[in-house]
Amino acid sequence: MPEGAADLDRLEAEARAALAAARDVQALVEARARCLGRKGSISTLLRGLGALPPDERARAGEAVNAVRDRLEAFADARRTELEQESVSRDLERGRIDVTLPGVPSHAGRLHAVTRAERDICTFFASLGFSVEEGPEVELERYNFDALNIPDDHPARDSHDTFYVRPGVVLRTHTSPVQIRTMTGRTPPFRFIAPGRVYRHDASPRHSPMFSQVEGFLVDERATFADLKGVLYAFARHLLGPATRLRFRASFFPFTEPSAELDFGCVLCEGRGCATCSRTGWIEWGGCGMIHPKVLENCGIDPERWQGFAFGMGMERAAMMRHNVPQIRLLYEPDVRLLEQL
Ligand code: DAH
């Protein structure tokens, strides 16, 4: 035997140490190949036995085989151990501490103006009004001309109107929806048109973008008294049964006669506060009997048909409903503030 019993013991000890040193299954597989594989130290030893005399060969063979069996068993045991360690490590890494506080999630809510708008649509639906829409980028023709607003009217001035390009504006009111809805159709009409409008005018009491709701009714017998009845019902639904309204004679090119409409300030109950400029009243919008020219511009015979229209600010109503003193606060991107609405 080229190596004596002491050498065999050393070889076994080294192989064991190499197997034991493997820190993971991959390293173990490699260590195992080095000592027990076909080109490993044990196989080399076994092949060398052929050179021994026959009586020694059998004994030496037995001894080497015994070492190989022990090493195989040791490697198997080590593999099981390493696999268990790896499972425990994975479990440890993925452990969840169910006692830790969770990550808070904020539930979204509808904005106060959106809620007012939906409420308004539902209310008018109960009176048989449909809901119509128009684009926010509008033709000057619909925003002004067809509504009987003369070329030299100050509202066309670029101080008030955002011009997108010649002939195209950001609509300054929801009234152009009147024209879009009536053109090509025949009366009677009964609709509202809520939406955003834009004006070049920003102060604590005004915002360059705000929302209006247009109301419109055309039939053969509509009167100013009907208009007042609808507006009282609307205001009292929105702001409470004690709401007071004030109609002030006014002028709009698209109505005749025309009135501006105020409601009694809800915040101070009419006593006067900063929001209503100490008057007890808040301007809400305009209204009137539809001008015959507007009907004509839409191909409708004003001898036969008549009606009323109104346009109201929606923020004003939302402010009253939520005790917000300034329109700016409605559009402040501050969640702490919005959450209170
Ligand atoms: N469009 C007007 C404005 O924004 C409001 C208005 C007044 C609308 C009278 C109407 C109306 O429909 O009849 O100032």
Side-chain angles (χ1 to χ4, degrees):
M1 184 173 180
E3 312 197 28
D7 289 331
L8 192 58
D9 285 348
R10 189 175 42 78
L11 194 130
E12 180 176 0
E14 280 170 7
R16 251 177 213 277
L19 292 170
R23 286 279 145 257
D24 55 41
V25 173
Q26 178 59 29
L28 181 70
V29 167
E30 284 160 16
R32 185 182 189 137
R34 273 195 305 278
C35 48
L36 294 165
R38 237 180 326 131
K39 291 185 185 150
S41 43
I42 296 288
S43 305
T44 312
L45 205 57
L46 281 171
R47 274 196 295 278
L49 294 182
L52 291 177
D55 56 328
E56 276 182 43
R57 197 191 297 162
R59 216 171 18 83
E62 239 168 70
V64 176
N65 278 334
V67 167
R68 190 194 54 202
D69 291 349
R70 281 200 298 275
L71 287 175
E72 297 265 11
F74 182 75
D76 286 344
R78 180 70 187 135
R79 185 184 180 107
T80 310
E81 213 172 83
L82 285 172
E83 281 170 354
Q84 271 163 6
E85 273 174 24
S86 139
V87 169
S88 319
R89 256 199 317 274
D90 285 350
L91 287 176
E92 186 57 34
R93 219 180 295 131
R95 211 173 74 175
I96 292 170
D97 183 348
V98 293
T99 66
L100 286 174
V103 182
S105 65
H106 291 279
R109 252 176 295 172
L110 293 177
H111 190 270
V113 176
T114 307
R115 285 207 301 265
E117 176 179 333
R118 293 195 181 180
D119 184 17
I120 290 168
C121 291
T122 309
F123 169 75
F124 276 103
S126 76
L127 297 187
F129 285 64
S130 64
V131 176
E132 303 293 339
E133 286 185 323
E136 291 173 26
V137 177
E138 183 57 285
L139 296 175
E140 199 177 356
R141 193 153 52 82
Y142 288 156
N143 195 81
F144 295 126
D145 304 63
L147 286 165
N148 198 35
I149 300 177
D151 281 344
D152 57 357
H153 195 278
R156 295 197 187 217
D157 197 313
S158 61
H159 284 291
D160 286 322
T161 306
F162 291 105
Y163 280 84
V164 176
R165 56 170 190 266
V168 180
V169 300
L170 293 187
R171 68 177 178 192
T172 59
H173 51 180
T174 44
S175 301
V177 184
Q178 297 184 10
I179 308 300
R180 288 183 172 272
T181 307
M182 283 197 292
T183 304
R185 299 204 218 164
T186 39
F189 298 116
R190 195 163 22 156
F191 59 82
I192 59 166
R196 295 182 165 190
V197 303
Y198 301 85
R199 284 184 207 174
H200 216 290
D201 163 13
S203 66
R205 316 189 78 225
H206 298 97
S207 149
M209 184 283 296
F210 59 102
S211 313
Q212 285 187 329
V213 58
E214 193 80 9
F216 209 69
L217 184 146
V218 177
D219 72 12
E220 286 166 312
R221 283 189 304 271
T223 67
F224 205 99
D226 296 323
L227 170 60
K228 287 182 81 172
V230 166
L231 289 174
Y232 265 103
F234 176 28
R236 290 180 170 166
H237 168 80
L238 210 55
L239 303 174
T243 305
R244 292 167 308 131
L245 290 181
R246 180 171 79 170
F247 292 82
R248 287 179 286 113
S250 186
F251 172 81
F252 296 103
F254 33 92
T255 43
E256 181 59 36
S258 306
E260 275 177 90
L261 182 61
D262 309 331
F263 56 73
C265 182
V266 174
L267 301 188
C268 61
E269 291 172 339
R271 281 189 294 275
C273 66
T275 302
C276 60
S277 305
R278 324 246 161 245
T279 63
W281 295 96
I282 294 193
E283 288 180 19
W284 194 18
C287 61
M289 301 307 291
I290 300 162
H291 198 292
K293 280 251 181 66
V294 173
L295 294 172
E296 257 169 33
N297 289 343
C298 300
I300 292 163
D301 177 8
E303 295 298 326
R304 174 166 177 213
W305 301 100
Q306 56 185 335
F308 60 75
F310 57 86
M312 303 297 154
M314 287 207 277
E315 282 80 2
R316 297 270 163 94
M319 284 164 68
M320 294 296 126
R321 277 152 56 108
H322 299 282
N323 279 307
V324 178
Q326 284 186 13
I327 185 168
R328 278 290 174 86
L329 298 176
L330 283 177
Y331 294 119
E332 212 67 64
D334 185 339
V335 175
R336 290 168 306 175
L337 204 139
L338 292 170
E339 270 181 344
Q340 294 174 41
L341 301 183

